[in-house]
């Protein structure tokens, strides 16, 4: 069922329950976010995508990534209140992770230069939960999860020891916006994933994944191409025989 | 290590995923803490990822992942108790037991914990040992309260012997 809502005065028809974030994207209205990913369910942990929603003449702040579209909803993404709130969130993030390039860039983009809060230290994780969710929803392994609560919350494997369920796919390292999780061979490295390798060899590529000029990769490609070529030739031969 | 009793608990809860917190509570009652191997066992049995169980076990303050003493001493530090001098009581407890808050004595007799309010502010300052509430605790009373338990436990042990 289609519903009609207005975002910054622009009317848009979207499927019911579509998050406002997606609707705004269709209109080309930029909303900053750190914890949202198309492939994953909305989570609403970074609070950067905050927008103002007017429902029954009552304006309120909501996270657009997980707020479902309804009929007659009035969304504003550029009011002073929204800007103030986002700036505050950004300042908090900046105080938490002052040295993370992704955070610095986003802060600069949003016009946040310094944080009014005391720098907490040199944290790299923003607790967006992308890695936890990708491990659960996409990989289906759930090797990592959140630990603790409040200010002590962190992302870790159960008991902080080598996970016996991790398959070493690297999805969490790929999705992490602050590159906090890295593929390491040392289990005691900070934020390191230690992997129970089992039969799987997880040696890192000696050529640092530059496949274009790697002998091994070229050899592999050549073999694959030969197989495809052979298959094609045989197919053509069979067809021509059938015609005859 | 046998998990017969753990399996009994799981049986009691009908292997239901939504009973996870209840299961963990029962295990804590059985073992006095949550051992890694037991959590791993229920993770296999219930087919719940260990990360989820660990998340819940670390989220709630009442769960402990480390072995705790036979008696759990809780000192309330809520507003009412704080005003009535709960901090002095806590310090006295720490001095008497030679441990800090959140630790367990070497003989595994006492664990000292703090809580933020137990809802009995009229009895402030409150201290709880196991399930017994002690009202209007003063630093002088601390030793007496604790000695009850120390002798009692020793008594039980000597009876056994």
């Amino acid at each position: 069922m289609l519903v009609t809502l207005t975002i910054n005065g622009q009317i848009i028809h979207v499927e019911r329950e579509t998050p406002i974030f997606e609707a705004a994207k269709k209109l080309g209205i930029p909303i900053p976010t750190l914890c949202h990913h198309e492939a994953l369910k909305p989570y609403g942990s970074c609070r950067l995508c905050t927008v103002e929603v007017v429902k029954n003449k009552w304006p309120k702040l909501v996270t657009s990534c997980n707020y479902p579209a309804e009929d007659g909803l009035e969304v504003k993404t550029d009011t002073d209140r929204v800007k103030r709130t986002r700036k505050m969130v950004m300042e908090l993030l900046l105080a938490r992770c002052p040295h993370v390039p992704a955070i610095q860039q986003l802060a600069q983009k949003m016009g946040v230069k310094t944080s009014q809060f005391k720098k907490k230290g040199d944290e790299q994780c923003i607790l967006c939960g992308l890695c936890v969710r990708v491990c659960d929803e996409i990989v289906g392994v759930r090797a990592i999860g959140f630990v603790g609560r409040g200010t002590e919350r962190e992302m870790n494997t159960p008991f902080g020891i080598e996970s016996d369920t991790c398959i070493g796919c690297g999805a969490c390292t790929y999705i992490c916006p602050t590159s906090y999780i890295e593929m390491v061979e040392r289990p005691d490295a900070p934020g390191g994933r230690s992997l129970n390798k089992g039969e799987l060899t997880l040696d890192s590529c000696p050529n640092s994944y530059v496949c274009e000029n790697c002998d091994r990769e070229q050899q592999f490609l050549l073999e694959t191409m030969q197989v495809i070529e052979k298959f094609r030739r045989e197919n053509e031969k069979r067809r021509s025989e059938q015609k005859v | 290590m046998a998990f017969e009793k753990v399996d009994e608990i799981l049986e009691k809860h009908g292997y239901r995923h939504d009973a996870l917190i209840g299961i963990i509570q029962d295990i804590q009652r059985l073992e006095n803490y949550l051992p890694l191997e037991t959590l791993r066992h229920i993770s296999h049995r219930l087919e719940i990822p260990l990360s989820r169980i660990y998340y819940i076990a670390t989220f709630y303050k009442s769960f402990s992942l480390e072995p705790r003493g036979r008696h759990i001493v809780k000192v309330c530090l809520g507003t009412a108790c704080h005003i009535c001098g709960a901090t002095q009581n806590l310090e006295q407890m720490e001095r008497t037991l030679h441990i800090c808050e959140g630790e367990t004595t070497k003989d595994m007799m006492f664990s000292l914990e703090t809580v933020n309010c137990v809802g009995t502010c009229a009895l402030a300052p409150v201290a709880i040992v196991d399930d017994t509430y002690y009202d209007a605790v003063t630093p002088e009373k601390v030793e007496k309260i604790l000695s009850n338990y120390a002798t009692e436990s020793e008594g039980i042990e000597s009876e056994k012997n």
Side-chain angles (χ1 to χ4, degrees):
Chain A
M1 200 181 98
L2 283 176
V3 291
T4 313
L5 65 154
T6 57
I7 305 177
N8 293 352
Q10 299 184 58
I11 297 164
I12 184 171
H13 308 280
V14 288
E15 202 64 38
R16 200 195 170 99
E17 305 277 296
T18 312
I20 299 174
F21 185 84
E22 301 295 336
K25 212 173 172 183
K26 273 185 195 166
L27 284 175
I29 297 166
I31 295 176
T33 178
L34 280 169
C35 74
H36 187 71
H37 195 279
E38 288 164 356
L40 302 170
K41 283 182 201 145
Y43 195 58
S45 66
C46 74
R47 320 305 290 179
L48 269 175
C49 65
T50 300
V51 294
E52 205 169 354
V53 159
V54 186
K55 197 178 158 188
N56 303 330
K57 292 180 184 172
W58 193 264
K60 60 173 178 179
L61 290 171
V62 297
T63 44
S64 63
C65 66
N66 58 4
Y67 196 91
E70 309 168 31
D71 228 350
L73 207 65
E74 203 181 313
V75 184
K76 289 169 188 165
T77 70
D78 54 359
T79 58
D80 282 343
R81 195 178 169 201
V82 168
K83 280 180 191 160
R84 227 174 26 239
T85 314
R86 279 187 197 161
K87 241 177 178 168
M88 173 69 85
V89 172
M90 201 63 235
E91 280 187 36
L92 286 164
L93 279 170
L94 206 57
R96 183 185 167 87
C97 326
H99 303 299
V100 174
I103 303 287
Q104 285 170 341
Q105 279 163 20
L106 196 60
Q108 209 177 12
K109 215 168 143 190
M110 287 171 64
V112 179
K113 286 190 188 81
T114 48
S115 179
Q116 57 176 301
F117 303 101
K118 210 174 123 192
K119 285 197 172 60
K120 202 195 150 201
D122 203 5
E123 199 73 49
Q124 249 195 309
C125 180
I126 55 166
L127 299 174
C128 63
L130 278 173
C131 51
V132 174
R133 283 178 289 148
V134 78
C135 198
D136 174 24
E137 292 172 29
I138 307 289
V139 188
V141 167
R142 290 205 77 157
I144 47 175
F146 283 119
V147 179
R149 65 167 166 182
T151 52
E152 279 151 33
R153 194 179 212 214
E154 57 169 8
M155 183 282 303
N156 209 338
T157 53
F159 292 92
I161 54 170
E162 277 199 37
S163 168
D164 52 1
T165 49
C166 176
I167 56 165
C169 64
C172 50
T173 63
Y174 172 75
I175 207 162
C176 181
T178 64
S179 25
Y180 172 57
I181 316 176
E182 284 174 342
M183 273 285 215
V184 286
E185 283 160 48
R186 265 185 312 127
D188 53 335
R193 298 159 71 237
S194 47
L195 315 162
N196 188 351
K197 294 178 184 77
E199 304 236 311
L200 214 65
T201 39
L202 286 169
D203 291 340
S204 57
C205 175
N207 289 346
S208 54
Y209 301 100
V210 189
C211 304
E212 292 84 32
N213 44 23
C214 169
D215 290 342
R216 198 186 287 181
E217 192 65 21
Q218 294 303 323
Q219 188 61 36
F220 175 76
L221 281 174
L222 206 68
E223 279 168 17
T224 320
M225 267 149 82
Q226 278 170 353
V227 169
I228 293 170
E229 200 60 34
K230 199 178 156 198
F231 181 76
R232 224 178 250 159
R233 249 181 283 139
E234 277 175 8
N235 230 8
E236 274 170 21
K237 210 172 152 191
R238 208 180 301 136
R239 265 188 208 158
S240 57
E241 276 171 9
Q242 272 175 0
K243 274 182 189 172
V244 171
Chain B
M1 197 174 156
F3 291 112
E4 283 145 23
K5 282 192 174 167
V6 177
D7 286 336
E8 266 172 41
I9 291 171
L10 294 175
E11 192 76 41
K12 194 184 107 192
H13 288 277
Y15 293 89
R16 277 183 8 250
H17 283 198
D18 52 5
L20 184 58
I21 290 180
I23 292 168
I24 303 179
Q25 276 176 325
D26 283 353
I27 285 165
Q28 171 135 320
R29 218 163 287 144
L30 176 77
E31 308 251 13
N32 206 10
Y33 77 110
L34 302 173
L36 194 163
E37 287 312 315
T38 312
L39 292 189
R40 193 163 275 172
H41 178 78
I42 61 170
S43 152
H44 283 305
R45 271 303 165 91
L46 294 178
E47 291 176 359
I48 294 177
L50 188 61
S51 59
R52 175 152 189 81
I53 298 174
Y54 189 67
Y55 172 48
I56 291 169
T58 53
F59 187 89
Y60 295 104
K61 214 183 162 187
S62 59
F63 294 131
S64 172
L65 292 161
E66 273 147 32
R68 296 192 299 172
R70 189 177 294 176
H71 302 292
I72 315 285
V73 184
K74 289 178 189 152
V75 181
C76 180
L77 292 181
T79 315
C81 292
H82 179 81
I83 287 171
C84 295
T87 344
Q88 280 95 312
N89 291 339
L90 178 66
E91 280 166 12
Q92 185 62 33
M93 295 259 187
E94 291 179 335
R95 270 196 293 273
T96 318
L97 295 171
H98 300 292
I99 50 169
C100 284
E101 179 237 315
E103 291 180 352
T104 304
T105 52
K106 270 185 191 156
D107 59 356
M108 300 303 284
M109 202 58 93
F110 293 103
S111 281
L112 187 58
E113 287 175 5
T114 59
V115 282
N116 283 335
C117 187
V118 288
T120 54
C121 302
L123 307 178
V126 184
I128 309 155
V129 185
D130 296 337
D131 286 325
T132 321
Y133 285 62
Y134 292 92
D135 63 325
V137 182
T138 55
E140 294 82 54
K141 284 190 192 170
V142 163
E143 208 153 327
K144 205 184 152 197
I145 293 170
L146 293 177
S147 64
N148 277 336
Y149 290 88
T151 50
E152 186 196 284
S153 324
E154 279 160 19
I156 291 167
E157 267 174 19
S158 60
E159 270 170 34
K160 273 183 195 166
N161 296 334

